[in-house]
């Protein structure tokens, strides 16, 4: 089994944190997006969409998509459970992970891709779209801060889950994209301190 990884990109980091929480180690192949290594014919054979991460199984089969890879490891190593523990909890974790992906991670990625000078070499940038998404991210921090003001320790409730991993990677990416949360978001700050203190955050 091999995990195709880029140390600077947020989606592969989600898988690395997930594996660290599970205490599982997988051989890694580094694919440097900034060197366009994900656009080579060899890599496109693994994933024609050229996204990172990818998990290649021992029989050559390939699983792409961050959450699909995490679900594969969840089945293989169920403890600790990261996708919820019962019917209601699994639905809530799915809800929160989707929210963190679609409402936080994606707009942060749009800001990064369309405004950050380092990304200009990799793709066409639509500056207006990037600027628009700065406002989207700002509103999401305010919404998330209000959500977390109920005192729950983690995004989906009392347990650390995949939703925290998605949100942590989005939050750290937001700092890089220059759209972090602010002093007016103390609940986001304490959640971020809590999840960043876990050893897995260094993965
Ligand atoms: N939906 C995919 C997205 C993968 C993705 O876009 N990964 C980024 C790195 S975080 C990437 O490969 N970017 C390079 C590109 O899009 O050209 C997933 O969840 O794994």
């Amino acid at each position: 089994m091999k995990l195709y990884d880029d140390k600077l990109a947020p989606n592969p980091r989600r898988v690395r944190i997930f594996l660290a929480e599970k205490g599982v180690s997988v051989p890694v192949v580094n694919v440097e997006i900034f060197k366009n290594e994900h656009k080579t014919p060899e890599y496109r054979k693994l994933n024609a969409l050229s996204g990172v991460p990818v998990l290649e199984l021992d029989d050559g089969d390939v699983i792409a998509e961050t959450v699909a890879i995490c679900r594969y490891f969840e089945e293989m190593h169920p403890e600790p459970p990261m996708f919820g523990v019962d019917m209601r909890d699994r639905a809530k974790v799915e809800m929160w992970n989707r929210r963190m992906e679609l409402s936080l991670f994606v707009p942060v990625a749009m800001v990064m891709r369309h405004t950050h000078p380092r990304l200009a070499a990799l793709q066409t940038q639509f500056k207006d779209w990037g600027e628009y998404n700065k406002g989207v991210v700002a509103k999401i921090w305010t919404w998330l801060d209000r959500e977390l003001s109920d005192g729950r320790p983690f995004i989906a409730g009392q347990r650390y889950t995949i939703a925290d991993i998605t949100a942590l990677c989005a939050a750290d990416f937001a700092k890089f994209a220059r759209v972090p949360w602010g002093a007016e978001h103390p609940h986001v700050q304490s959640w971020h301190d809590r999840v960043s203190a876990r050893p897995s955050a260094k993965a």
Side-chain angles (χ1 to χ4, degrees):
M1 190 186 282
K2 279 186 248 172
L3 179 68
Y4 291 80
D5 184 22
D6 178 324
K7 288 282 176 286
L8 295 179
N11 278 306
R13 183 177 179 223
R14 289 163 78 192
V15 176
R16 292 198 307 275
I17 294 177
F18 191 90
L19 290 172
E21 288 285 339
K22 295 274 181 192
V24 170
S25 118
V26 172
V28 163
V29 179
N30 281 308
V31 180
E32 283 192 45
I33 292 172
F34 279 119
K35 290 188 184 162
N36 268 324
E37 290 177 354
H38 62 311
K39 296 279 170 76
T40 63
E42 294 74 31
Y43 192 75
R44 281 191 199 272
K45 269 188 219 149
L46 289 170
N47 183 4
L49 294 176
S50 77
V52 186
V54 155
L55 182 67
E56 187 178 15
L57 304 182
D58 291 340
D59 64 2
D61 202 5
V62 165
I63 302 172
E65 298 298 324
T66 301
V67 176
I69 294 170
C70 292
R71 284 196 183 277
Y72 185 79
F73 285 114
E74 179 85 355
E75 295 273 335
M76 197 186 280
H77 303 279
E79 293 297 327
M82 305 286 274
F83 281 94
V85 293
D86 59 26
M87 189 165 76
R88 186 187 304 208
D89 193 41
R90 277 193 288 275
K92 302 273 294 242
V93 171
E94 179 74 18
M95 174 182 96
W96 279 104
N97 192 45
R98 294 279 291 173
R99 285 176 163 180
M100 292 303 99
E101 277 194 323
L102 299 174
S103 301
L104 180 62
F105 196 107
V106 170
V108 168
M110 290 303 107
V111 174
M112 184 71 196
R113 282 172 179 258
H114 292 282
T115 66
H116 201 283
R118 277 203 78 182
L119 272 287
L122 289 183
Q123 65 164 78
T124 308
Q125 291 188 313
F126 297 95
K127 299 276 186 199
D128 287 355
W129 177 236
E131 292 300 325
Y132 168 78
N133 273 284
K134 288 183 181 177
V136 175
V137 174
K139 284 196 185 119
I140 286 297
W141 288 133
T142 298
W143 164 75
L144 186 58
D145 197 70
R146 205 175 309 123
E147 286 287 342
L148 294 175
S149 70
D150 66 4
R152 65 189 191 259
F154 298 112
I155 297 285
Q158 297 303 312
R159 303 172 69 95
Y160 180 93
T161 68
I162 181 88
D164 293 286
I165 297 176
T166 303
L168 173 62
C169 293
D172 288 342
F173 200 43
K175 288 193 263 175
F176 199 51
R178 303 167 188 164
V179 280
W181 64 99
E184 69 277 29
H185 305 125
H187 305 289
V188 171
Q189 183 64 57
S190 44
W191 161 81
H192 186 265
D193 291 346
R194 192 172 307 118
V195 292
S196 298
R198 296 170 81 90
S200 64
K202 295 187 179 63

